[in-house]
Each structure stands twice: as C-alpha cells, then as structure tokens.
Amino acid sequence: ENPKLRDRLALLMDHREERMLETSSWELTETHLVNPLKKLSGKKNWTSEEIQRCAGLFRTNGLAVQATGLSPDQEWLEDDELGNGRALYPTMCALSHSCSPNCRVMHSLNYKLVIRSTKHVPAGEELTI
C-alpha cells in the first residue's frame, strides 16, 4: 500500500463510461485480463472494478516504453527483443496536450521520463506537451 501514490492515481481519468459503451472491447478485457487476474490475485481478492480501473488508467494515460529504459549495467538488446509495454507516469499525465506545445517528453535511463521545455516559458504559463 502506498497512500500517496493511490491519491495521485485517483486524480487520473480512466474513461470507464466510454469504455463500457465499446461492448466488444469491454468484454475482451473482461475475458483476457480481468478474469485471469482475479484468479491470480489470491487472497488480495481484486474486484473486476479495480482491475478495469487499472486497465482504463493504462489505456487512457499509459505511454509506450522505449528501449532507452536500459540502465548502463544492463546488456544491450535490440528494440524488437524488448517487446511492447506501457508505463504510467502520473506527473506527466497532469500536463495538458497542445498542438503547439512548449515542452517535450524524452525517455531516459531506467524507464524515467524527462520533460524539457522547447522554448522560453514565462512564469505562470501552463506547461503543455
């Protein structure tokens, strides 16, 4: 349990209502993600709602993980050997989208993100990506 992280994640949207309207996608998630995870959860006894919340958070706010997640002491692998993955970065999720952003997101070692301004951002101006 990490109450601080739980509070941060509570601020993020999961678009549950919209996802429920996509009936075939919702049922696919129930069959291939929710039900197997419920069986694996053991004594934690995760609910369908909790698992769907997590799936929604990743679908709505998740970011593709790049090969730059390797740290200097790890063996180098080709991108296609790493597989596909998504990660959740709650701080980055709080930034607004813009067609003309003043920041950019860069992948760094150990699966960290770096958010850098692309131009001078006056004090008080919203940071956008």
Side-chain angles (χ1 to χ4, degrees):
E1 286 292 320
N2 183 335
K4 200 172 182 181
L5 179 59
R6 185 177 293 268
D7 290 346
R8 288 178 68 200
L9 293 176
L11 299 172
L12 301 179
M13 298 176 73
D14 65 3
H15 294 290
R16 180 181 176 86
E17 294 78 21
E18 294 92 337
R19 291 185 308 109
M20 287 179 75
L21 294 175
E22 298 172 8
T23 314
S24 61
S25 177
W26 184 268
E27 290 171 1
L28 189 72
T29 303
E30 283 287 322
T31 302
H32 296 288
L33 181 69
V34 173
N35 293 335
L37 284 176
K38 283 174 71 173
K39 289 178 185 173
L40 291 171
S41 69
K43 293 181 181 180
K44 291 192 185 287
N45 206 20
W46 295 329
T47 66
S48 294
E49 187 173 313
E50 290 170 323
I51 297 169
Q52 282 285 3
R53 168 82 174 141
C54 289
L57 288 175
F58 274 89
R59 182 174 174 190
T60 305
N61 304 286
L63 192 67
V65 177
Q66 303 293 323
T68 54
L70 294 173
S71 61
D73 62 331
Q74 289 177 297
E75 181 181 336
W76 183 259
L77 299 171
E78 295 296 326
D79 289 356
D80 59 348
E81 293 179 276
L82 294 171
N84 296 318
R86 294 181 74 78
L88 196 58
Y89 299 92
T91 301
M92 192 269 319
C93 295
L95 296 175
S96 295
H97 171 266
S98 172
C99 293
S100 181
N102 56 21
C103 294
R104 67 183 180 136
V105 176
M106 299 168 25
H107 295 272
S108 185
L109 294 175
N110 297 317
Y111 301 101
K112 293 181 182 177
L113 290 183
V114 175
I115 299 169
R116 294 251 166 98
S117 62
T118 56
K119 53 189 167 189
H120 173 72
V121 181
E125 183 176 318
E126 179 180 22
L127 300 177
T128 58
I129 53 174

